[in-house]
Amino acid sequence: MRHELRLCAAVGAGLVGLVVSQAAAAQKPGGILKSYSIDSPASMSIHEEATVFAVRPMMAVMNNLVMYDQNVKQNSMQSIVPDLAESWAWDEETGRKLTFKLRQGVKWHDGKPFSAADVKCTWDLLLGRSNDKLRLNPRKGWYRNLEEVTTNGDYEVTFVLQRPQPALLALLASGFSPVYPCHVSAKDMRQRPIGTGPFKFVEFKPNESIKITKNPDYWKPGRPYLEGIEYTIIKNVSTAILTFASGKLDITFGGLSVPLTRQVNEQAPQAICEMNPTNVGRTLLINRDAAPFNNADLRRAMALALDRQAFIDIITEGKGNTGGAMLPAPDGVWGMPPELLQALPGYGDVEKNRTEARAIMQKLGYGPGKRIGVKLSTRDIPPFRDPAVILIDQLKQVYIDAELEPIDTTQWFPRLSRRDFTVALSLIGNGVDDPDQAFYENYVCGAEGNHSGYCNPELDRLVDQQSMESDQQKRKELVWQIEKKMIDDGARPMIFYAPAGNCRYPYVKGLTITANSIYNGWRMDDVWLDK
């Protein structure tokens, strides 16, 4: 089996290379792809950031051990292909060791050779076991089951786990999982990252632009086609759309709402626009330690006050979806069936739910004459602000008067990490459509993304159980059991999932917008300009 897995990976890579070489004659090298970004990230270090505004431009600078096939729309275990690893194999006896054979002859952008030591250095850094330290480590929880990474010479590494975890490969394929060089400090990676990818970092001017340029020594022959990519930071979305419609940009950054996508279609009818699910959920976030919200009944009343369909109708013009912690099917692989979801607390009949919510609040001593005032914190960009305004209106139905508190991106994630908020509307952007990522990052006790402070040891045991399950249908049933428990507990009410519009001019070729994660489709080495 070990030999077969390695052989399949190598043969698969060879077939891909053959198809690519046969099609190469149709591609045109050259040109600068121009896009925009509606926000300025805190740094260029993928491992320290939790936003697409960092990972999208920098994924083109880096490489992973493995990655999701950039031409397959839905990420899944079946779409994982080699990157810096040429092949991989599990230890059949224990299911606790995943060994990668690494590509030889790869160089970092500064000319130094890539080796197994770089892989070990990267995951030692993520596990907090190196002398160098990350300022923020948003995905440390992804690797809580990782015991160590060992090397065997310069071109073989083994991930040693505490228990079986078949989905580890899915986590390693995310755009959030690049390999960093041993010889470059975490501090330097924030401002001048060095990678092995198809593009080299040029400059990051906060609130102005991000620029990357072609790596002429890229290990993949004939790639990339583009000479470079430039992202102009334009925080006003209307201005960004006008700039795109005028022909000064080739592609939008994505994330356009339904009305804004329609606006692009009207102003630039020649553009190709597509709406895609994103696996980004809007959630109600409540600090469980902040009185009076440390009362479970009060939190339940807030969850019961939600009218999810109203969010979908207003924000997405009916094109969004309701779901639990996992993206609903068919866009997502793991989502709970609608008939199970609608039977859970807070779903179903809105008026019935709100009647129950008001009864709870009155029992707690609140009512029309005694209301709760609170700040509703959110990140100061439209995907956060717009639903936050609707949430403020809905909380009034249960005697809570919230005042919007917009927070700049550079402060938003540190504020959440410190739990420096009382009530918030936040987004969960899942880096991988897999329960291990969603649960270990956002819901288990002490997780880096568990900003509400929810903790249920019984649920954590179920999360470990599903993580070890190799049968996908059995794993799905465990996942749905976990989601039901989280909804019953009011862990972090998921409000809705919104699709996003992505527009580009017809001459932009070779780009596939992925359906179930906005973080994994930006290697950009296949993209070219037909002009």
Side-chain angles (χ1 to χ4, degrees):
M1 180 66 172
R2 184 183 181 94
H3 172 73
E4 289 175 359
L5 283 171
R6 286 178 170 170
L7 183 61
C8 287
V11 170
L15 289 174
V16 169
L18 178 62
V19 172
V20 165
S21 65
Q22 289 175 342
Q27 328 302 349
K28 293 181 180 179
I32 304 290
L33 181 73
K34 295 185 178 181
S35 185
Y36 66 84
S37 173
I38 63 167
D39 208 357
S40 185
S43 81
M44 294 286 96
S45 176
I46 290 178
H47 283 307
E48 295 191 73
E49 299 299 327
T51 170
V52 71
F53 302 110
V55 73
R56 176 166 173 177
M58 288 304 103
M59 186 177 170
V61 172
M62 313 303 293
N63 284 117
N64 295 17
L65 287 168
V66 293
M67 64 186 291
Y68 290 104
D69 189 323
Q70 300 293 279
N71 298 304
V72 175
K73 204 162 183 63
Q74 186 180 59
N75 296 162
S76 69
M77 293 291 284
Q78 290 70 43
S79 70
I80 295 174
V81 296
D83 202 20
L84 288 175
E86 292 184 324
S87 63
W88 59 89
W90 284 100
D91 172 17
E92 281 189 334
E93 291 184 10
T94 66
R96 292 178 49 244
K97 294 182 179 180
L98 178 59
T99 298
F100 295 91
K101 292 288 189 180
L102 303 181
R103 199 175 299 278
Q104 299 186 29
V106 176
K107 292 185 178 181
W108 295 98
H109 293 155
D110 59 5
K112 290 183 169 56
F114 158 76
S115 74
D118 296 304
V119 180
K120 178 173 174 55
C121 281
T122 300
W123 271 270
D124 283 350
L125 182 66
L126 289 167
L127 292 172
R129 295 175 183 171
S130 62
N131 292 329
D132 202 2
K133 300 297 178 186
L134 296 171
R135 182 180 54 187
L136 294 171
N137 194 354
R139 287 163 296 281
K140 185 177 181 181
W142 288 21
Y143 307 111
R144 59 167 55 200
N145 183 41
L146 179 59
E147 190 171 291
E148 63 175 337
V149 175
T150 63
T151 62
N152 180 19
D154 286 339
Y155 300 107
E156 182 176 295
V157 294
T158 298
F159 283 63
V160 182
L161 307 178
Q162 298 171 40
R163 56 162 177 76
Q165 186 184 9
L168 176 66
L169 199 66
L171 304 181
L172 297 177
S174 169
F176 276 128
S177 304
V179 179
Y180 273 16
C182 274
H183 62 278
V184 180
S185 70
K187 179 181 177 181
D188 287 342
M189 290 296 286
R190 292 175 202 140
Q191 298 303 321
R192 296 200 62 82
I194 297 290
T196 57
F199 295 89
K200 292 183 175 184
F201 175 80
V202 175
E203 66 178 10
F204 168 43
K205 293 182 178 179
N207 297 308
E208 291 186 26
S209 64
I210 300 168
K211 295 180 181 180
I212 58 178
T213 191
K214 179 176 182 174
N215 174 15
D217 301 314
Y218 189 39
W219 53 267
K220 189 183 291 187
R223 298 292 194 280
Y225 299 116
L226 298 169
E227 285 298 318
I229 308 175
E230 296 180 358
Y231 297 91
T232 302
I233 296 169
I234 307 174
K235 294 194 173 186
N236 186 295
V237 181
S238 296
T239 302
I241 289 174
L242 287 172
T243 307
F244 173 78
S246 72
K248 295 178 181 177
L249 301 171
D250 306 308
I251 185 170
T252 67
F253 195 86
L256 293 174
S257 66
V258 174
L260 288 175
T261 304
R262 186 171 58 251
Q263 186 178 329
V264 173
N265 279 320
E266 292 169 353
Q267 296 184 14
Q270 70 275 36
I272 299 170
C273 293
E274 56 179 297
M275 295 297 301
N276 286 288
T278 58
N279 206 354
V280 178
R282 278 65 173 168
T283 69
L284 171 60
L285 195 56
I286 305 169
N287 188 336
R288 292 168 167 249
D289 293 332
F293 302 97
N294 53 355
N295 185 300
D297 289 336
L298 175 54
R299 296 195 301 271
R300 179 179 177 84
M302 295 171 71
L304 288 169
L306 297 173
D307 180 352
R308 290 173 170 83
Q309 192 60 44
F311 283 91
I312 291 170
D313 290 344
I314 296 168
I315 301 290
T316 76
E317 297 184 355
K319 292 181 171 61
N321 284 306
T322 57
M326 303 306 300
L327 180 68
D331 306 313
V333 176
W334 300 95
M336 187 183 296
E339 61 273 16
L340 295 182
L341 186 70
Q342 291 303 312
L344 297 178
Y347 294 82
D349 190 323
V350 174
E351 286 310 313
K352 181 181 177 182
N353 291 339
R354 286 181 171 174
T355 298
E356 181 184 347
R358 284 189 283 267
I360 292 171
M361 294 295 284
Q362 288 164 2
K363 187 176 179 180
L364 293 173
Y366 301 103
K370 184 181 179 183
R371 306 175 68 87
I372 299 175
V374 67
K375 286 186 177 180
L376 178 69
S377 306
T378 199
R379 186 173 166 192
D380 193 17
I381 57 175
F384 287 69
R385 286 196 314 265
D386 293 348
V389 171
I390 299 173
L391 179 59
I392 287 172
D393 183 65
Q394 293 194 5
L395 290 177
K396 290 178 181 177
Q397 302 295 319
V398 291
Y399 318 125
I400 297 174
D401 296 326
E403 175 189 353
L404 188 67
E405 181 189 26
I407 298 170
D408 186 76
T409 289
T410 57
Q411 296 301 316
W412 175 242
F413 293 106
R415 285 273 300 266
L416 290 183
S417 298
R418 298 193 304 269
R419 294 176 66 191
D420 182 12
F421 67 93
T422 304
V423 178
L425 184 136
S426 187
L427 273 58
I428 290 182
N430 284 318
V432 184
D433 184 17
D434 188 273
D436 277 13
Q437 181 269 308
F439 296 155
Y440 285 120
E441 183 176 342
N442 300 304
Y443 295 99
V444 299
C445 300
E448 282 68 25
N450 186 353
H451 303 303
S452 69
Y454 171 73
C455 181
N456 184 331
E458 177 190 346
L459 181 126
D460 287 8
R461 285 191 291 272
L462 283 173
V463 171
D464 287 346
Q465 185 181 343
Q466 67 78 33
S467 178
M468 291 186 283
E469 180 57 65
S470 58
D471 184 292
Q472 183 157 317
Q473 186 56 41
K474 290 180 180 178
R475 190 180 179 208
K476 277 185 178 181
E477 291 169 4
L478 284 168
V479 168
W480 300 339
Q481 184 180 342
I482 291 164
E483 289 205 273
K484 181 180 184 301
K485 180 63 176 171
M486 292 194 300
I487 292 170
D488 286 339
D489 290 351
R492 183 173 182 171
M494 182 66 69
I495 305 175
F496 73 108
Y497 288 89
N502 294 270
C503 299
R504 59 188 181 273
Y505 286 105
Y507 57 78
V508 177
K509 306 290 188 180
L511 177 65
T512 299
I513 306 296
T514 54
N516 53 340
S517 179
I518 61 172
Y519 304 101
N520 303 333
W522 309 112
R523 187 55 48 80
M524 306 299 280
D525 52 2
D526 286 336
V527 176
W528 58 287
L529 301 178
D530 188 17
K531 67 173 185 178

